[in-house]
Amino acid sequence: MKSLASPKRIIGRFLVIAGVLGVLTVQFRGAYAAEKLRVGINLTTIETLPIYIAADGTPDAVELAGGGIPSLTEGKADAATNAETQAILRSTSDPNIRVILTVAEYAYHIVARRSSGIQGAADLRGKKIATSLNSSAHFYIAKTLRNAGLSESDVTIVGMSPPEMPAALARGDIDAVSIWEPAAQQAIDTLGADAVIIQGPPYSERFNLNTTTEVTSDPVKRAALVSFVQSLIRASREVREHPERTQPLIAAKLNLPPALVATTWKLFAFPAAISDDLLATMKEQEPWMAEKQHRAPRSPDAIASLIDASVWQEAAKSH
């Protein structure tokens, strides 16, 4: 029969095993800590400015790539930017999508051709209006038409990519455009004296940071997300307080003339928060989007569940 190991030897072996486990734990944590937060962004919009600044300030923690909410549902990103309409659109197939922060707001207007006989919203009847389909810009058309006593059936909505719109408008292929920047201002500049700007009822797109419940329920990823939102809060303050420093940054990122960015600046806000009226806006959009998707509208509570303010609140409290 083998003799039992002495207590000293047992303790020694235990300490060795504990030491090995300690090293593995540190390595395991280090591997997670070294993993960057993957953020999908719109690479073409001025609204992305605070994201760029926040990511540039934390290059070891954040990795940017082109993409919106679909990059979340495909598992290619941990967070992604998109307007609030896209959270409504995409959450029908993935109800775990969450809006966690409004990065920027943009006040829409419609750019039309004077030579098409357009002076105001009522003159859009029978005209061709280009937009990005099922987007915030498309919703603005519906809202503007409704305010003028018209509906989408009174016009022809043409789906078109933003870069194509200014030239198509100048050629007369379309009569008006509803789109975000820089395409809207480029359309105005292209038309010159022939441009008419139609100001419908007040509506600002919310360019949000979105994630999923899988990310917010993961302690490591949630901590990284909170840290990034803290960086976004600081970056947004810089954007608001020092436009003379930050406008050139986005102009360079998007290869735009600085004058174009400066001209459109008054249309933007960079709150890095969740506004009190975000839910009301999303509730208003839900029936419109439901009609586009040929489905029944969801309940107000279902729409409210798409907004998760806890990440922003945690970041703001720790900031």
Side-chain angles (χ1 to χ4, degrees):
M1 179 182 294
K2 293 182 179 179
S3 61
L4 295 174
S6 68
K8 183 181 291 186
R9 183 175 296 177
I10 292 173
I11 293 172
R13 287 176 181 173
F14 177 78
L15 291 175
V16 169
I17 293 171
V20 171
L21 290 175
V23 170
L24 290 176
T25 301
V26 170
Q27 290 176 340
F28 183 73
R29 288 176 178 169
Y32 267 93
E35 187 176 318
K36 293 183 178 182
L37 186 74
R38 302 167 302 162
V39 181
I41 60 169
N42 190 319
L43 299 170
T44 67
T45 59
I46 294 172
E47 289 95 322
T48 311
L49 173 56
I51 300 275
Y52 281 125
I53 295 174
D56 286 347
T58 54
D60 296 330
V62 178
E63 179 179 86
L64 300 184
I69 288 179
S71 66
L72 283 177
T73 56
E74 294 166 5
K76 297 177 180 178
D78 304 308
T81 59
N82 249 147
E84 76 278 10
T85 48
Q86 301 313 295
I88 296 171
L89 174 69
R90 307 287 179 180
S91 60
T92 54
S93 59
D94 189 347
N96 293 327
I97 290 168
R98 294 292 182 270
V99 176
I100 61 170
L101 188 78
T102 295
V103 177
E105 297 176 356
Y106 170 69
Y108 274 113
H109 49 257
I110 292 173
V111 182
R113 285 165 46 93
R114 193 182 307 274
S115 55
S116 291
I118 300 172
Q119 295 291 334
D123 300 321
L124 293 171
R125 183 189 295 272
K127 302 296 193 271
K128 292 181 180 180
I129 310 173
T131 193
S132 179
L133 297 178
N134 298 337
S135 68
S136 55
H138 189 174
F139 173 71
Y140 183 66
I141 295 174
K143 191 174 176 74
T144 300
L145 291 173
R146 185 169 61 245
N147 191 63
L150 303 173
S151 68
E152 289 187 63
S153 63
D154 292 314
V155 303
T156 300
I157 304 293
V158 180
M160 187 177 292
S161 69
E164 297 178 285
M165 293 182 188
L169 191 58
R171 288 194 305 268
D173 298 344
I174 51 178
D175 303 297
V177 301
S178 177
I179 199 60
W180 47 83
E181 304 298 345
Q185 186 60 42
Q186 289 168 336
I188 293 171
D189 294 342
T190 300
L191 288 181
D194 198 26
V196 173
I197 298 175
I198 298 173
Q199 223 42 86
Y203 166 64
S204 290
E205 163 221 28
R206 270 69 169 194
F207 185 77
N208 297 319
L209 187 66
N210 307 270
T211 191
T212 63
T213 54
E214 288 85 356
V215 173
T216 57
S217 61
D218 181 313
V220 174
K221 289 186 176 180
R222 183 185 180 90
L225 196 55
V226 169
S227 179
F228 181 58
V229 170
Q230 288 174 334
S231 298
L232 270 175
I233 292 172
R234 290 192 295 270
S236 299
R237 184 182 302 118
E238 175 74 6
V239 170
R240 294 192 301 268
E241 295 178 357
H242 298 286
E244 75 287 353
R245 293 205 295 250
T246 55
Q247 286 180 18
L249 296 177
I250 195 63
K253 288 282 188 183
L254 304 184
N255 195 27
L256 294 174
L260 185 151
V261 176
T263 298
T264 61
W265 197 254
K266 62 183 180 296
L267 302 173
F268 292 95
F270 298 92
I274 293 181
S275 65
D276 293 338
D277 62 349
L278 173 61
L279 178 56
T281 297
M282 293 177 68
K283 286 179 180 178
E284 179 188 4
Q285 291 174 6
E286 167 61 10
W288 174 78
M289 189 63 79
E291 183 181 351
K292 299 300 179 190
Q293 293 184 293
H294 308 289
R295 60 173 174 81
R298 288 168 290 183
S299 69
D301 286 346
I303 301 305
S305 71
L306 298 177
I307 302 173
D308 180 355
S310 67
V311 173
W312 163 57
Q313 290 167 346
E314 189 176 339
K317 185 184 301 183
S318 305
H319 181 66

